[in-house]
Amino acid sequence: MDAGVKGARVLLGVTGGIAAYKAASLTSALVQRGANVDVIMTAEAERFVAPLTFASLTARPVYTSLWDAPERIPHIRLVREAQVVLVAPATAQCIAKLALGLADDLLSTALLAARVPIAIAPAMNATMYEREATQEHLAILRDRGCTIVEPEEGYLAEGERGVGRLASEERLLETLERLLTPASLAGMRVAITAGPTREAFDPVRFVSNAASGATGIALAREAARRGAEVTLLLGPTQLEPPLGVRTVRVLTAQSMLDAALAHAIGSDVTIATAAVADWRPTEYAAQKRKKDAGVLDVHFEQTPDVLAALGDRKGETFLVGFAAETQEHERNARDKMRRKHLDAIVANDVSSERGFGLVENALVLFWGNDGRKDLGRAEKDVLAARLWDAIEGIRACS
Ligand code: CTP
């Protein structure tokens, strides 16, 4: 499925607030991700940033007036060609005009003529933002289906602190990704386990592995973009969980199991990507172990198998496991699928640690008696989209 900002036509409206300079960085990020960006600036925006900035970043003309080339009716053409419109930053004035249907310049006429999804990212002084007038206008726009990307709290240009800073670039990009991705998982509950676990044997030492959680994070992000309600059970990792996902942090195999039993049972789809530690020390020393003893004598026992426990209580959940294998991938993966009562399993070749931490990976999906789909070698976010396409396809046929 083609989705996301890559190759998409984005119409960016820039209005006259100090945060207009951040729209330039956003434009650059969109262009780098392969989006085709048209920019409309209001006259007030031009006081903060020159149109040349956006023209240089997009390598396209920037539109500032209804009257530059009236024979081309730019407000209609621009919104007809766009797949999504984002106004960032959106001033109180722009929000009020859109709520009231006022159309007296290029941007407001274009917004009124738009039939594609509209996202509005307010940025203004905190008092102006909190005013009833602004909040009522935003409520009207929300009711009409506009996506409001709420401003953030922090330092404001006038030296005050409060809610009014333009949403972060990451949130703006994620909003566009979501609006451009078909909501094929809308109404579905998805649970995903991700990351390593840590099994401690004293207050400062533990056994773990090199998993980063990147695959599970990419799958959670993609499911949220497709409209699912996602819970991510995430072990210790440096990576940030995705936006728009409920993240439950866990540390040990036991806490991963507890969280899975509390949050994954009854979901529509559960995917277990976590590299749960297979063994844990049988004893935990309350004080840091001293080196005097010479040899470190630690005994290990097996940890609970989170996925097998979910398989035993599967119900209607479509349960997908991962199989980290170094040899006989298909045979070992199918064996795990049967043992853990899974609907499908993804074989991940970890010989030479190919799957751990890296951005790229190579996956093959197996299901049923002979279902097999090679998802190829690609970056983890591309593989996440392919895996969700495959899961949706299998579920649609069953
Ligand atoms: N898994 C789990 N809990 C464990 C071990 C594994 O939930 N304690 C899940 C993993 O998230 C993965 C699947 O089980 O989805 C298979 O994990 P893998 O490490 O490939 O296999 P193991 O079951 O640990 O078996 P082995 O190490 O013998 O290959």
Side-chain angles (χ1 to χ4, degrees):
M1 185 192 296
D2 268 350
V5 300
K6 189 163 186 220
R9 302 196 62 118
V10 178
L11 180 57
L12 176 66
V14 183
T15 69
I18 179 65
Y21 77 92
K22 296 182 183 170
S25 162
L26 174 69
T27 301
S28 170
L30 282 167
V31 170
Q32 286 176 47
R33 283 168 174 72
N36 299 306
V37 187
D38 277 318
V39 178
I40 296 179
M41 299 178 76
T42 61
E44 293 73 25
E46 285 186 72
R47 290 181 174 265
F48 289 95
V49 190
L52 181 62
T53 306
F54 293 100
S56 307
L57 290 167
T58 60
R60 299 159 88 90
V62 168
Y63 301 86
T64 54
S65 164
L66 269 171
W67 315 114
D68 285 343
E71 68 285 358
R72 284 166 33 215
I73 319 182
H75 60 289
I76 301 295
R77 185 179 62 78
L78 287 169
V79 286
R80 287 293 170 272
E81 286 176 359
Q83 291 168 260
V84 66
V85 183
L86 168 66
V87 186
T91 56
Q93 167 81 355
C94 158
I95 291 165
K97 284 206 294 194
L98 185 55
L100 298 174
L102 298 179
D104 65 350
D105 61 6
L106 179 57
L107 181 60
S108 52
T109 45
L111 289 171
L112 202 57
R115 293 197 287 237
V116 292
I118 297 178
I120 301 287
M124 65 193 76
N125 170 270
T127 311
M128 290 172 69
Y129 178 67
E130 281 154 15
R131 270 279 130 73
E132 294 82 347
T134 309
Q135 289 303 319
E136 282 170 18
H137 291 148
L138 287 170
I140 289 170
L141 295 178
R142 235 181 248 114
D143 278 356
R144 289 191 198 138
C146 283
T147 300
I148 309 299
V149 197
E150 310 285 351
E152 294 173 4
E153 186 177 358
Y155 177 80
L156 302 171
E158 53 277 28
E160 299 173 9
R161 292 189 72 82
V163 178
R165 283 168 68 92
L166 182 68
S168 68
E169 193 168 296
E170 189 194 1
R171 281 179 58 214
L172 295 173
L173 290 170
E174 195 53 39
T175 302
L176 288 173
E177 290 283 1
R178 196 174 284 207
L179 290 175
L180 286 161
T181 306
S184 51
L185 295 176
M188 306 249 296
R189 280 184 54 213
V190 165
I192 294 173
T193 72
T197 64
R198 277 183 195 170
E199 315 298 332
F201 52 88
D202 79 12
V204 296
R205 301 186 183 96
F206 54 80
V207 179
S208 188
N209 59 61
S212 67
T215 297
I217 288 172
L219 283 164
R221 181 183 291 117
E222 181 63 23
R225 283 180 187 168
R226 294 181 185 209
E229 188 190 311
V230 185
T231 304
L232 176 64
L233 312 175
L234 186 59
T237 168
Q238 307 282 13
L239 299 183
E240 286 296 317
L243 298 170
V245 160
R246 178 163 63 142
T247 302
V248 180
R249 306 298 303 229
V250 299
L251 196 62
T252 62
Q254 184 60 48
S255 61
M256 179 82 79
L257 175 66
D258 295 342
L261 295 178
H263 299 283
I265 301 223
S267 63
D268 295 289
V269 180
T270 292
I271 308 180
T273 71
V276 183
D278 288 316
W279 291 277
R280 64 185 171 202
T282 49
E283 277 170 41
Y284 176 78
Q287 306 303 327
K288 184 181 167 199
R289 287 177 195 253
K290 290 294 183 193
K291 283 203 297 271
D292 312 351
V295 175
L296 177 66
D297 190 12
V298 180
H299 290 88
F300 290 90
E301 63 187 4
Q302 276 194 7
T303 55
D305 191 312
V306 179
L307 184 55
L310 292 176
D312 289 341
R313 302 160 175 79
K314 201 163 98 58
E316 297 299 305
T317 303
F318 190 88
L319 195 55
V320 184
F322 267 66
E325 304 296 345
T326 54
Q327 57 177 347
E328 301 217 51
H329 303 79
E330 176 155 2
R331 197 163 67 84
N332 287 335
R334 285 192 183 279
D335 184 47
K336 267 177 207 169
M337 177 168 72
R338 277 185 287 272
R339 261 192 293 125
K340 303 195 189 190
H341 307 118
L342 311 180
D343 297 284
I345 192 154
V346 186
N348 183 1
D349 184 359
V350 289
S351 51
S352 74
E353 288 198 28
R354 187 186 279 159
F356 279 174
L358 302 177
V359 187
E360 268 210 350
N361 206 352
L363 304 176
V364 185
L365 178 68
F366 301 104
W367 69 96
N369 287 333
D370 53 7
R372 178 184 202 282
K373 186 165 180 60
D374 191 341
L375 302 175
R377 157 172 303 286
E379 294 192 352
K380 287 184 175 176
D381 56 348
V382 174
L383 286 173
R386 288 184 194 161
L387 180 54
W388 275 116
D389 286 349
I391 291 172
E392 287 184 38
I394 298 169
R395 291 185 82 235
C397 292
S398 60

Short mmCIF file of all heavy atoms in Angstrom, two decimals, residues 9-50:
data_model
loop_
_atom_site.label_atom_id
_atom_site.label_comp_id
_atom_site.label_asym_id
_atom_site.label_seq_id
_atom_site.Cartn_x
_atom_site.Cartn_y
_atom_site.Cartn_z
N ARG A 9 1.25 15.00 -2.21
CA ARG A 9 1.16 16.44 -2.49
C ARG A 9 0.58 17.12 -1.26
O ARG A 9 -0.57 16.88 -0.89
CB ARG A 9 0.27 16.69 -3.70
CG ARG A 9 0.80 15.96 -4.95
CD ARG A 9 0.15 16.51 -6.18
NE ARG A 9 0.48 17.91 -6.33
CZ ARG A 9 1.17 18.42 -7.36
NH1 ARG A 9 1.62 17.64 -8.30
NH2 ARG A 9 1.40 19.72 -7.45
N VAL A 10 1.41 17.94 -0.65
CA VAL A 10 1.05 18.61 0.60
C VAL A 10 0.92 20.10 0.32
O VAL A 10 1.82 20.70 -0.27
CB VAL A 10 2.13 18.38 1.68
CG1 VAL A 10 1.77 19.12 2.97
CG2 VAL A 10 2.30 16.89 1.95
N LEU A 11 -0.19 20.69 0.75
CA LEU A 11 -0.34 22.15 0.66
C LEU A 11 -0.11 22.71 2.06
O LEU A 11 -0.83 22.35 3.00
CB LEU A 11 -1.75 22.50 0.16
CG LEU A 11 -2.06 23.99 0.02
CD1 LEU A 11 -1.06 24.68 -0.90
CD2 LEU A 11 -3.48 24.20 -0.52
N LEU A 12 0.91 23.54 2.20
CA LEU A 12 1.25 24.11 3.50
C LEU A 12 0.85 25.58 3.52
O LEU A 12 1.32 26.36 2.68
CB LEU A 12 2.76 23.96 3.75
CG LEU A 12 3.29 24.59 5.04
CD1 LEU A 12 2.73 23.87 6.27
CD2 LEU A 12 4.82 24.54 5.08
N GLY A 13 -0.01 25.93 4.47
CA GLY A 13 -0.38 27.34 4.66
C GLY A 13 0.45 27.91 5.79
O GLY A 13 0.54 27.32 6.87
N VAL A 14 1.07 29.06 5.56
CA VAL A 14 1.90 29.70 6.60
C VAL A 14 1.28 31.07 6.90
O VAL A 14 1.10 31.88 5.99
CB VAL A 14 3.35 29.87 6.11
CG1 VAL A 14 4.22 30.46 7.23
CG2 VAL A 14 3.92 28.53 5.65
N THR A 15 0.93 31.28 8.16
CA THR A 15 0.32 32.56 8.53
C THR A 15 1.29 33.34 9.42
O THR A 15 2.35 32.85 9.81
CB THR A 15 -1.04 32.35 9.23
OG1 THR A 15 -0.83 31.76 10.51
CG2 THR A 15 -1.96 31.46 8.40
N GLY A 16 0.88 34.58 9.76
CA GLY A 16 1.81 35.55 10.31
C GLY A 16 2.04 35.49 11.81
O GLY A 16 1.60 36.35 12.56
N GLY A 17 2.76 34.49 12.25
CA GLY A 17 3.20 34.42 13.64
C GLY A 17 4.69 34.21 13.66
O GLY A 17 5.28 33.80 12.65
N ILE A 18 5.32 34.44 14.82
CA ILE A 18 6.76 34.28 14.91
C ILE A 18 7.19 32.86 14.55
O ILE A 18 8.27 32.62 14.01
CB ILE A 18 7.28 34.71 16.31
CG1 ILE A 18 8.79 34.54 16.42
CG2 ILE A 18 6.59 33.99 17.43
CD1 ILE A 18 9.58 35.44 15.52
N ALA A 19 6.29 31.88 14.81
CA ALA A 19 6.64 30.48 14.50
C ALA A 19 6.70 30.21 12.99
O ALA A 19 7.01 29.09 12.58
CB ALA A 19 5.65 29.52 15.16
N ALA A 20 6.45 31.25 12.17
CA ALA A 20 6.52 31.05 10.71
C ALA A 20 7.90 30.53 10.31
O ALA A 20 8.03 29.77 9.35
CB ALA A 20 6.20 32.35 9.98
N TYR A 21 8.94 30.92 11.07
CA TYR A 21 10.28 30.44 10.70
C TYR A 21 10.39 28.92 10.84
O TYR A 21 11.15 28.25 10.13
CB TYR A 21 11.37 31.16 11.51
CG TYR A 21 11.55 30.68 12.94
CD1 TYR A 21 12.47 29.69 13.24
CD2 TYR A 21 10.79 31.21 13.97
CE1 TYR A 21 12.63 29.24 14.54
CE2 TYR A 21 10.94 30.78 15.27
CZ TYR A 21 11.87 29.79 15.55
OH TYR A 21 12.02 29.34 16.83
N LYS A 22 9.59 28.34 11.78
CA LYS A 22 9.65 26.88 11.94
C LYS A 22 9.02 26.16 10.74
O LYS A 22 9.32 25.00 10.48
CB LYS A 22 8.93 26.47 13.22
CG LYS A 22 9.58 27.00 14.48
CD LYS A 22 8.84 26.52 15.71
CE LYS A 22 9.44 27.10 16.98
NZ LYS A 22 8.60 26.84 18.16
N ALA A 23 8.12 26.87 10.04
CA ALA A 23 7.50 26.25 8.86
C ALA A 23 8.54 25.99 7.78
O ALA A 23 8.38 25.09 6.96
CB ALA A 23 6.39 27.16 8.32
N ALA A 24 9.63 26.77 7.79
CA ALA A 24 10.68 26.55 6.80
C ALA A 24 11.38 25.22 7.07
O ALA A 24 11.62 24.41 6.16
CB ALA A 24 11.67 27.71 6.83
N SER A 25 11.68 24.95 8.33
CA SER A 25 12.32 23.69 8.69
C SER A 25 11.39 22.51 8.40
O SER A 25 11.82 21.46 7.90
CB SER A 25 12.71 23.77 10.17
OG SER A 25 12.94 22.51 10.68
N LEU A 26 10.11 22.71 8.69
CA LEU A 26 9.12 21.65 8.40
C LEU A 26 9.08 21.37 6.89
O LEU A 26 9.04 20.21 6.47
CB LEU A 26 7.74 22.09 8.90
CG LEU A 26 6.58 21.17 8.53
CD1 LEU A 26 6.69 19.85 9.28
CD2 LEU A 26 5.24 21.83 8.82
N THR A 27 9.10 22.44 6.10
CA THR A 27 9.07 22.27 4.64
C THR A 27 10.28 21.46 4.19
O THR A 27 10.16 20.53 3.38
CB THR A 27 9.09 23.66 3.96
OG1 THR A 27 7.96 24.38 4.42
CG2 THR A 27 9.05 23.53 2.45
N SER A 28 11.44 21.79 4.73
CA SER A 28 12.65 21.06 4.37
C SER A 28 12.51 19.58 4.73
O SER A 28 12.85 18.69 3.94
CB SER A 28 13.84 21.69 5.09
OG SER A 28 14.97 20.88 4.94
N ALA A 29 11.97 19.30 5.94
CA ALA A 29 11.81 17.90 6.37
C ALA A 29 10.85 17.16 5.43
O ALA A 29 11.08 16.00 5.08
CB ALA A 29 11.29 17.86 7.81
N LEU A 30 9.79 17.84 5.01
CA LEU A 30 8.83 17.20 4.10
C LEU A 30 9.46 16.90 2.75
O LEU A 30 9.29 15.82 2.19
CB LEU A 30 7.61 18.11 3.91
CG LEU A 30 6.61 18.11 5.06
CD1 LEU A 30 5.62 19.27 4.92
CD2 LEU A 30 5.86 16.79 5.10
N VAL A 31 10.22 17.88 2.24
CA VAL A 31 10.87 17.69 0.94
C VAL A 31 11.87 16.53 1.04
O VAL A 31 11.94 15.67 0.17
CB VAL A 31 11.56 19.00 0.49
CG1 VAL A 31 12.45 18.75 -0.72
CG2 VAL A 31 10.52 20.07 0.19
N GLN A 32 12.61 16.47 2.16
CA GLN A 32 13.58 15.38 2.33
C GLN A 32 12.90 14.02 2.39
O GLN A 32 13.50 13.00 2.04
CB GLN A 32 14.41 15.60 3.58
CG GLN A 32 15.43 16.71 3.41
CD GLN A 32 16.18 16.98 4.70
OE1 GLN A 32 16.64 16.06 5.36
NE2 GLN A 32 16.28 18.25 5.06
N ARG A 33 11.65 13.99 2.86
CA ARG A 33 10.92 12.72 2.90
C ARG A 33 10.21 12.42 1.58
O ARG A 33 9.41 11.50 1.50
CB ARG A 33 9.89 12.74 4.04
CG ARG A 33 10.53 12.55 5.39
CD ARG A 33 9.55 12.88 6.51
NE ARG A 33 10.10 12.55 7.82
CZ ARG A 33 11.08 13.23 8.42
NH1 ARG A 33 11.62 14.27 7.82
NH2 ARG A 33 11.50 12.87 9.61
N GLY A 34 10.44 13.23 0.58
CA GLY A 34 9.90 12.94 -0.75
C GLY A 34 8.53 13.53 -1.01
O GLY A 34 7.88 13.15 -1.99
N ALA A 35 8.05 14.46 -0.17
CA ALA A 35 6.75 15.08 -0.42
C ALA A 35 6.89 16.20 -1.45
O ALA A 35 7.96 16.79 -1.58
CB ALA A 35 6.18 15.65 0.88
N ASN A 36 5.81 16.46 -2.18
CA ASN A 36 5.75 17.62 -3.08
C ASN A 36 4.98 18.70 -2.34
O ASN A 36 3.79 18.53 -2.08
CB ASN A 36 5.02 17.25 -4.37
CG ASN A 36 5.74 16.14 -5.09
OD1 ASN A 36 6.92 16.24 -5.37
ND2 ASN A 36 5.03 15.04 -5.35
N VAL A 37 5.65 19.77 -2.00
CA VAL A 37 5.04 20.76 -1.10
C VAL A 37 4.77 22.05 -1.87
O VAL A 37 5.67 22.64 -2.47
CB VAL A 37 5.97 21.07 0.10
CG1 VAL A 37 5.25 21.96 1.10
CG2 VAL A 37 6.44 19.79 0.77
N ASP A 38 3.50 22.50 -1.84
CA ASP A 38 3.15 23.84 -2.30
C ASP A 38 2.93 24.69 -1.06
O ASP A 38 2.32 24.23 -0.09
CB ASP A 38 1.86 23.81 -3.12
CG ASP A 38 2.14 23.43 -4.57
OD1 ASP A 38 3.13 23.92 -5.13
OD2 ASP A 38 1.36 22.62 -5.13
N VAL A 39 3.40 25.92 -1.12
CA VAL A 39 3.28 26.80 0.06
C VAL A 39 2.44 28.03 -0.31
O VAL A 39 2.69 28.67 -1.34
CB VAL A 39 4.66 27.25 0.57
CG1 VAL A 39 4.52 28.21 1.76
CG2 VAL A 39 5.50 26.03 0.98
N ILE A 40 1.45 28.30 0.55
CA ILE A 40 0.72 29.57 0.46
C ILE A 40 1.09 30.36 1.71
O ILE A 40 0.99 29.84 2.83
CB ILE A 40 -0.81 29.36 0.46
CG1 ILE A 40 -1.25 28.58 -0.78
CG2 ILE A 40 -1.54 30.70 0.53
CD1 ILE A 40 -2.76 28.32 -0.85
N MET A 41 1.49 31.61 1.51
CA MET A 41 1.79 32.48 2.66
C MET A 41 0.78 33.62 2.70
O MET A 41 0.38 34.14 1.66
CB MET A 41 3.19 33.09 2.51
CG MET A 41 4.30 32.06 2.47
SD MET A 41 5.91 32.86 2.22
CE MET A 41 6.21 33.55 3.86
N THR A 42 0.41 34.01 3.91
CA THR A 42 -0.42 35.21 4.03
C THR A 42 0.51 36.43 3.99
O THR A 42 1.75 36.31 4.17
CB THR A 42 -1.20 35.24 5.35
OG1 THR A 42 -0.26 35.23 6.43
CG2 THR A 42 -2.13 34.04 5.47
N ALA A 43 -0.08 37.60 3.81
CA ALA A 43 0.72 38.84 3.75
C ALA A 43 1.47 39.02 5.08
O ALA A 43 2.64 39.44 5.09
CB ALA A 43 -0.20 40.04 3.50
N GLU A 44 0.82 38.65 6.20
CA GLU A 44 1.47 38.81 7.51
C GLU A 44 2.65 37.83 7.64
O GLU A 44 3.68 38.15 8.25
CB GLU A 44 0.47 38.58 8.66
CG GLU A 44 -0.62 39.62 8.77
CD GLU A 44 -1.67 39.52 7.67
OE1 GLU A 44 -1.85 38.43 7.11
OE2 GLU A 44 -2.30 40.56 7.37
N ALA A 45 2.51 36.63 7.10
CA ALA A 45 3.61 35.66 7.16
C ALA A 45 4.84 36.20 6.45
O ALA A 45 5.98 35.99 6.89
CB ALA A 45 3.17 34.33 6.55
N GLU A 46 4.60 36.94 5.37
CA GLU A 46 5.73 37.49 4.59
C GLU A 46 6.54 38.49 5.40
O GLU A 46 7.67 38.81 5.06
CB GLU A 46 5.22 38.17 3.32
CG GLU A 46 4.80 37.21 2.24
CD GLU A 46 4.43 37.95 0.97
OE1 GLU A 46 5.35 38.46 0.30
OE2 GLU A 46 3.22 38.06 0.69
N ARG A 47 5.93 39.03 6.46
CA ARG A 47 6.68 39.96 7.31
C ARG A 47 7.71 39.21 8.16
O ARG A 47 8.66 39.78 8.66
CB ARG A 47 5.73 40.75 8.22
CG ARG A 47 4.88 41.73 7.45
CD ARG A 47 3.97 42.49 8.39
NE ARG A 47 3.27 43.53 7.67
CZ ARG A 47 3.68 44.80 7.60
NH1 ARG A 47 4.78 45.17 8.22
NH2 ARG A 47 2.98 45.69 6.93
N PHE A 48 7.46 37.91 8.38
CA PHE A 48 8.38 37.12 9.23
C PHE A 48 9.41 36.35 8.41
O PHE A 48 10.55 36.22 8.82
CB PHE A 48 7.58 36.13 10.08
CG PHE A 48 6.79 36.80 11.18
CD1 PHE A 48 5.45 37.13 10.99
CD2 PHE A 48 7.39 37.11 12.39
CE1 PHE A 48 4.73 37.74 12.00
CE2 PHE A 48 6.67 37.72 13.40
CZ PHE A 48 5.33 38.05 13.20
N VAL A 49 8.98 35.80 7.28
CA VAL A 49 9.88 34.98 6.46
C VAL A 49 9.66 35.35 5.00
O VAL A 49 8.52 35.61 4.59
CB VAL A 49 9.56 33.46 6.62
CG1 VAL A 49 10.64 32.61 5.97
CG2 VAL A 49 9.42 33.07 8.08
N ALA A 50 10.72 35.37 4.23
CA ALA A 50 10.59 35.72 2.82
C ALA A 50 10.07 34.53 2.02
O ALA A 50 10.48 33.39 2.28
CB ALA A 50 11.94 36.16 2.27
#
